[in-house]
Amino acid sequence: MKGIRDVLQDEGLDVRSLFSHAGLDMSQLGNPEMRYPTEQVSRLWNLAVQRSRNAMLGIARSRCASVANFDVVGYAMMSCSNLLASLECLVRYMRVVSEAASLVLRPEAGRYSIELTLFGGELAVPRQRSEFSLLTLLSFLRWISGRPIAPLVVEFSYPEPAHPQPYQDAFRSPVRFNADANRLVLSEPDLSVPLPTHHPALEQFHAQFASQCLARLDNHRISRKVGELIAQKLQGWEPRREEIARLLCLGDRTLRRRLEEEGTTFQKILDDTRRDLARHYFALQRYSAGEVAYMLGFTDQGTLFRASRRWFGVSPKQYQARCCAQ
């Protein structure tokens, strides 16, 4: 997001106005753990293209990307032995940089492809966003290696524009369109050259710090937030996914996708939350089955009875007796 801000400023655009109209808080740019909704980032790009009247905004300026674009992961990449190790590091810690993107590094005959996927949520990802991301990555690789790395080819998944030459100028390589993915293809020799900033001790230190950042993000996983909201709302009704998505300021499809990325579903979290709360309520020995059913959002005691059988293998009354005997 800092890199996007810099590009828009270089183009003479009113960045504060653009961020505001896209629903983005610029004051949070200094917070490394801040996450902007992916739909609003796409909206920012659409507004910027509209106001600048420049469809090439994503590659308007081949900036020299700095470590600030990648934060702690950038320092870890700089400390690696070569660019291949740097890319492997980036893939490993990509969620620290962005949770709306994924990178896949694939070895091929004498070369490696770096495939980028951006998650747009309920809005289509503007092509400028993909172009900016790949060019930023390539610029950073050039910067940390101190070499004019030229991809063997750059590929984009959308149709060829009317004027493709600016793409070849920006990436300094052949550019293909209508591909099956957005990717850079780099030669194995380019990726094998030792980095001048390689430092084994710092590499280990920065990797540990990046791992800690990743752990903190895991503590803020969307599934955890969903479970917390469900627990708050389970009083006489069953929360709907659409309602929880609204409380999280997400679209329903975005919430579903993000839960899928974490290997779960809204229904599973709902069931797990009910089970954990039922275990707690039964252990307290102060609520009737009807009261527990209400607090879990069930419509009747029969539904609670069937759920208890599924969760604990016994009826609510039998489970309460078991808790009392312990």
Side-chain angles (χ1 to χ4, degrees), residues 58-59 62 65 70 77 83-84 86-87 90-91 94 102-117 129-144 148-158 167-177 179-188 190-191:
I59 57 170
S62 182
F70 297 86
M77 293 172 67
L83 287 183
L84 179 57
S86 293
L87 287 170
L90 178 59
V91 170
M94 187 63 198
S102 72
L103 279 179
V104 176
L105 184 63
R106 290 194 174 93
E108 300 173 2
R111 60 186 195 173
Y112 283 82
S113 70
I114 308 143
E115 185 175 311
L116 170 73
T117 301
R129 189 174 170 186
S130 299
E131 294 162 4
F132 169 81
S133 297
L134 282 183
L135 187 55
T136 296
L137 173 57
L138 178 60
S139 298
F140 187 64
L141 296 179
R142 288 168 174 165
W143 185 67
I144 64 175
I149 303 294
L152 298 176
V153 66
V154 178
E155 296 183 332
F156 291 106
S157 60
Y158 43 83
Y167 290 89
Q168 298 174 21
D169 296 339
F171 288 95
R172 304 175 208 164
S173 73
V175 181
R176 298 174 187 159
F177 298 88
D180 58 356
N182 300 315
R183 62 170 67 91
L184 301 172
V185 180
L186 302 177
S187 72
E188 187 172 0
D190 276 341
L191 297 183

Side-chain angles (χ1 to χ4, degrees), residues 136-316:
T136 296
L137 173 57
L138 178 60
S139 298
F140 187 64
L141 296 179
R142 288 168 174 165
W143 185 67
I144 64 175
S145 66
R147 301 174 62 244
I149 303 294
L152 298 176
V153 66
V154 178
E155 296 183 332
F156 291 106
S157 60
Y158 43 83
E160 181 174 339
H163 304 287
Q165 187 61 43
Y167 290 89
Q168 298 174 21
D169 296 339
F171 288 95
R172 304 175 208 164
S173 73
V175 181
R176 298 174 187 159
F177 298 88
N178 293 305
D180 58 356
N182 300 315
R183 62 170 67 91
L184 301 172
V185 180
L186 302 177
S187 72
E188 187 172 0
D190 276 341
L191 297 183
S192 301
V193 175
L195 292 182
T197 51
H198 174 49
H199 194 296
L202 286 179
E203 180 181 5
Q204 182 178 5
F205 172 78
H206 292 312
Q208 289 176 346
F209 191 66
S211 296
Q212 292 171 3
C213 292
L214 202 57
R216 287 198 298 272
L217 285 173
D218 285 340
N219 288 333
H220 294 86
R221 290 168 72 87
I222 198 70
S223 53
R224 181 187 292 268
K225 296 179 182 179
V226 169
E228 291 171 351
L229 285 173
I230 287 175
Q232 295 171 16
K233 297 295 181 180
L234 274 176
Q235 288 290 330
W237 73 297
E238 178 177 306
R240 296 174 59 84
R241 189 181 65 207
E242 296 87 346
E243 175 65 12
I244 298 299
R246 184 185 65 79
L247 293 173
L248 291 169
C249 299
L250 296 173
D252 179 49
R253 286 185 294 177
T254 300
L255 176 59
R256 181 177 60 188
R257 174 184 59 76
R258 291 186 63 178
L259 290 176
E260 288 174 353
E261 290 171 3
E262 295 183 10
T264 189
T265 65
F266 180 82
Q267 198 60 40
K268 184 179 186 305
I269 297 173
L270 173 61
D271 191 60
D272 289 347
T273 303
R274 278 174 161 160
R275 181 200 60 217
D276 294 342
L277 288 174
R279 184 182 290 117
H280 171 71
Y281 294 145
F282 287 147
L284 291 176
Q285 299 287 317
R286 70 175 68 158
Y287 300 112
S288 67
E291 288 173 321
V292 173
Y294 174 81
M295 290 188 293
L296 296 182
F298 287 131
T299 55
D300 52 57
Q301 293 186 46
T303 308
L304 173 62
F305 182 90
R306 291 188 292 274
S308 180
R309 285 282 188 184
R310 177 163 49 83
W311 293 330
F312 312 122
V314 294
S315 69

